[in-house]
């Protein structure tokens, strides 16, 4: 019913995490409903090549654009055609801490709680071209990982496995991949 409603309204843009967008794409394929999706904006996790390929197969000609943001301060940077993310420099001041982690300061004085030198938990490289600042090589700085749009801490997985196995010293290895349908494994 939602897809039929989206078709009736002429929806041509999708926004979400890559995992959620894959679910929508599979629902479109399985329903036989056609949506003229021309742009997809993703955030919340990295768009892997397998997921992008599935989205392009189901929505031919679609333009996929990444948006780097944090729930604490909103959208910080927009992906450019070369894969780097252009910082919204009128809204944020970004800097790289000595340990390589991204620190963000919001330049919006109207926020009820100002964000000053917020440690994003991400590590990356900064690149300056003229007055523009770009982020690239973005990755988690800790051992948490993103699975279907959810940030999961490895220590939580270890604790659950230890309880399930009734062992306090369980060793856990997590291997993430994407199947040919673009689903996280």
């Amino acid at each position: 019913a939602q897809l039929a409603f989206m078709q009736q309204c002429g929806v041509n843009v999708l926004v979400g995490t890559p995992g959620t967008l894959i679910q929508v794409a599979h629902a479109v394929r399985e329903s036989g409903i056609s949506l003229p999706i021309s742009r997809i904006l993703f955030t919340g996790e990295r768009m892997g090549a397998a997921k992008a390929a599935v989205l392009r197969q189901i929505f031919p000609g679609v333009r996929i654009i990444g948006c780097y943001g944090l729930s604490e301060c909103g959208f910080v940077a927009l992906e450019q055609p070369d894969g780097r993310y252009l910082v919204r420099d009128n809204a944020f001041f970004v800097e790289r801490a000595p340990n390589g982690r991204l620190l963000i300061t919001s330049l919006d004085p109207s926020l009820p709680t100002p964000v000053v030198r917020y440690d994003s938990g991400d590590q990356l490289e900064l690149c300056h071209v003229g007055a523009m600042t770009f982020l690239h090589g973005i990755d988690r700085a800790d051992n948490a990982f993103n699975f279907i749009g959810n940030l999961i801490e490895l220590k939580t997985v270890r604790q659950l496995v230890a309880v399930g196995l009734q062992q306090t010293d369980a060793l856990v290895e997590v291997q993430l991949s994407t199947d040919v349908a673009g689903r996280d494994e």
Side-chain angles (χ1 to χ4, degrees):
Q2 285 180 326
L3 294 177
F5 177 72
M6 291 168 68
Q7 183 182 42
Q8 180 183 358
C9 294
V11 170
N12 63 1
V13 175
L14 294 177
V15 178
T17 66
T20 302
L21 293 164
I22 286 294
Q23 291 175 0
V24 171
H26 285 297
V28 166
R29 181 186 326 183
E30 291 165 10
S31 72
I33 291 175
S34 177
L35 295 177
I37 303 300
S38 61
R39 288 179 312 255
I40 291 177
L41 178 67
F42 72 91
T43 190
E45 63 186 271
R46 181 177 297 149
M47 175 69 74
K51 286 184 173 92
V54 168
L55 292 171
R56 287 189 174 101
Q57 177 190 18
I58 295 172
F59 305 114
V62 71
R63 180 173 175 222
I64 301 173
I65 306 163
C67 193
Y68 177 79
L70 304 165
S71 50
E72 295 81 3
C73 56
F75 294 123
V76 175
L78 191 63
E79 186 179 27
Q80 303 302 297
D82 65 4
R84 296 181 304 173
Y85 285 74
L86 176 61
V87 174
R88 296 178 49 226
D89 61 356
N90 61 337
F92 298 97
F93 175 75
V94 297
E95 56 189 311
R96 189 169 178 256
N99 62 2
R101 292 169 70 126
L102 175 65
L103 301 176
I104 298 177
T105 300
S106 173
L107 302 177
D108 184 352
S110 68
L111 289 177
T113 305
V115 177
V116 179
R117 297 196 84 206
Y118 176 77
D119 185 340
S120 68
D122 290 336
Q123 59 188 5
L124 49 69
E125 296 295 325
L126 292 177
C127 173
H128 302 282
V129 178
M132 298 180 295
T133 301
F134 295 90
L135 312 176
H136 64 96
I138 302 168
D139 205 354
R140 291 295 304 163
D142 55 23
N143 61 2
F145 57 93
N146 205 310
F147 184 73
I148 314 175
N150 300 290
L151 190 61
I152 301 171
E153 293 186 16
L154 186 57
K155 71 179 181 180
T156 303
V157 175
R158 281 190 189 125
Q159 290 168 346
L160 291 171
V161 169
V163 169
L165 295 176
Q166 298 178 351
Q167 293 185 359
T168 57
D169 61 349
L171 295 176
V172 177
E173 179 180 336
V174 177
Q175 291 184 342
L176 300 175
S177 64
T178 303
D179 69 11
V180 294
R183 293 180 295 250
D184 289 335
E185 297 180 329

